[in-house]
Amino acid sequence: EEGAPGRRGERERSEEGPAERGPGAAFHMFVLMEDLLDKLKLLSYEEEALRRHNMRPLSRHYFALPTNPGEQFFMFCTLAAWLITKAGRPFEQPQEYDDPNAVISNVLSELRSF
């Protein structure tokens, strides 16, 4: 709502560009990706997820830079399916040529049920 306290400031900050948020804002995505990679390594993603699908390990900036959106989307879906399964829920591994909207819908639906 417009009159809710604190809401306006949140909206204004989300519309700011990297220059308005500070000099480090442009590199925040790289820091997040490195943190993600560290957490995936703690979960042994290379042995459990990648080897099973014959995929290469992620670079430390894999999702931070848009290089090959199709490949990056499939890697994201593979990791999401693996993480959902690792959390104890059965989840079918998406195939590379599945409908992206259906895959994301299934992932989000499963995450909402947690």
Side-chain angles (χ1 to χ4, degrees):
E1 295 179 28
E2 290 183 16
R7 301 295 258 167
R8 182 179 174 162
E10 290 173 15
R11 191 175 311 123
E12 287 174 359
R13 270 181 270 155
S14 67
E15 295 172 1
E16 293 176 350
E20 290 83 15
R21 290 182 295 204
F27 300 101
H28 184 67
M29 188 56 61
F30 294 98
V31 173
L32 289 176
M33 182 60 209
E34 288 185 26
D35 287 345
L36 171 67
L37 192 56
D38 288 342
K39 291 173 184 176
L40 287 172
K41 286 181 180 179
L42 288 173
L43 293 171
S44 303
Y45 89 105
E46 292 170 326
E47 293 81 20
E48 295 183 23
L50 298 184
R51 285 201 182 132
R52 185 171 12 157
H53 300 289
N54 199 25
M55 300 172 113
R56 294 177 305 189
L58 300 176
S59 70
R60 61 189 187 129
H61 299 134
Y62 185 78
F63 290 117
L65 298 171
T67 54
N68 183 343
E71 176 186 303
Q72 288 172 312
F73 179 76
F74 181 65
M75 178 63 80
F76 168 79
C77 293
T78 299
L79 291 174
W82 173 71
L83 287 168
I84 291 168
T85 303
K86 191 153 181 82
R89 293 281 180 85
F91 193 82
E92 189 175 323
Q93 171 64 40
Q95 301 302 308
E96 193 167 2
Y97 297 106
D98 286 350
D99 176 34
N101 293 321
V103 172
I104 289 298
S105 177
N106 291 340
V107 169
L108 290 174
S109 175
E110 194 63 40
L111 293 177
R112 283 186 195 107
S113 71
F114 271 103

